[in-house]
Amino acid sequence: MRQTIYIDVLISVNLLVDYFLLYAAGQLSASAVSRARMCLGAFVGACFSCSVLLPPLPFLCSAALSASACGLMTLTAFGFRSWRRYLRTAMYVVLVTVCYAGLMLAIWLVAAPRGLIVNNGAVYIDIPPELLVAVTVAAYALLSLFSGRLRKRNLIRSRCIVTVSCGDSCVELDAIIDTGNLLSEPFSGLPVIVAEYDALLPVLPDGFEQYPDGGEACSRLRVIPYSGVGGGGMMLAFRPERLTATLPGGRAQTADAYIGVLRTGRVGRDYRAIVNPDMLL
């Protein structure tokens, strides 16, 4: 029996599915990303779903096509800051995509429901437009509820103590691990921790106050461009000699990162630094 495929239904359904696959991958990898970028990444995946219209491809060709789709979706949705982070996030995208495709294939093989086609790693589900709208609204509501509860549950778990050492001086900072902190040093790609100036005074390197005329010590200093809700600008940062994060449960982890110095104001009520989660990967 010949099955009719409607291109608008194909794109719409896969756009919705790919959005939630990217959201799940982002949650698993603790990657922060805007909803606009996730929508763009989902659109890339929806375009690749048009492979369902092609004749059945050899397994290796189909696998290569699916891997390319996952790689481009990851790059579009999450961006590229380092190979380690990109490959880790891509691994989670592949994982959730394979799980979804495997589930759809199992349903197709066992039940063979009408309107479901699995071909070349792509899935087509023929559903009425009004049902698609209803499912989208319900899924968005569940997503918003889940996100809010997840943020509350992880509030305590996201705290840590950052120990910064330079020479014989050392400071401990109460910090929060925030996926909203995406700062990285442009040349090395190392993550940036944002911390308050007053709390860092004992470990600020020589020449910090005189930058850019501080002499040899300035090799440890960098100017980091940043942007946020309140605007953007340039932040002076330094690379400490030793950096350790003590996570909930007492597990200590050494890390390599820059410390961005917030000259004025506070980063939070009861914490003095904001940790980029990339530091802990």
Side-chain angles (χ1 to χ4, degrees), residues 33-128:
V33 64
S34 68
R35 292 182 178 179
R37 293 200 65 160
M38 276 202 295
C39 286
L40 189 58
F43 179 73
V44 171
C47 291
F48 269 93
S49 70
C50 293
S51 63
V52 77
L53 302 173
L54 300 174
L57 299 173
F59 173 76
L60 290 179
C61 292
S62 178
L65 182 63
S66 298
S68 300
C70 289
L72 190 55
M73 287 170 61
T74 303
L75 183 63
T76 304
F78 300 97
F80 182 87
R81 289 189 291 276
S82 68
W83 279 109
R84 182 179 66 172
R85 180 175 177 82
Y86 171 75
L87 292 176
R88 183 175 184 273
T89 308
M91 179 189 69
Y92 282 110
V93 174
V94 171
L95 176 64
V96 297
T97 302
V98 168
C99 290
Y100 169 74
L103 176 62
M104 293 296 102
L105 181 61
I107 293 174
W108 181 62
L109 292 175
V110 174
R114 184 179 180 182
L116 174 62
I117 299 175
V118 180
N119 183 39
N120 297 327
V123 177
Y124 172 78
I125 306 174
D126 187 9
I127 61 176

Side-chain angles (χ1 to χ4, degrees), residues 140-213:
Y140 182 81
L142 289 174
L143 176 63
S144 299
L145 179 62
F146 175 76
S147 299
R149 293 195 173 186
L150 185 65
R151 282 193 295 268
K152 291 180 181 179
R153 189 189 69 177
N154 288 341
L155 181 60
I156 296 178
R157 297 180 183 179
S158 63
R159 303 299 288 268
C160 69
I161 297 176
V162 174
T163 303
V164 183
S165 302
C166 288
D168 296 329
S169 301
C170 175
V171 295
E172 290 188 348
L173 307 174
D174 290 325
I176 185 170
I177 305 168
D178 187 0
T179 55
N181 177 8
L182 304 178
L183 282 179
S184 61
E185 199 277 321
F187 297 101
S188 65
L190 290 175
V192 175
I193 301 172
V194 179
E196 297 173 7
Y197 173 79
D198 292 343
L200 293 169
L201 279 174
V203 293
L204 290 179
D206 295 336
F208 183 87
E209 300 293 348
Q210 293 79 33
Y211 186 84
D213 301 317

Side-chain angles (χ1 to χ4, degrees), residues 245-264:
T246 304
L247 304 173
R251 182 171 65 91
Q253 177 176 332
T254 58
D256 192 5
Y258 277 86
I259 308 293
V261 182
L262 184 67
R263 287 280 192 173
T264 58

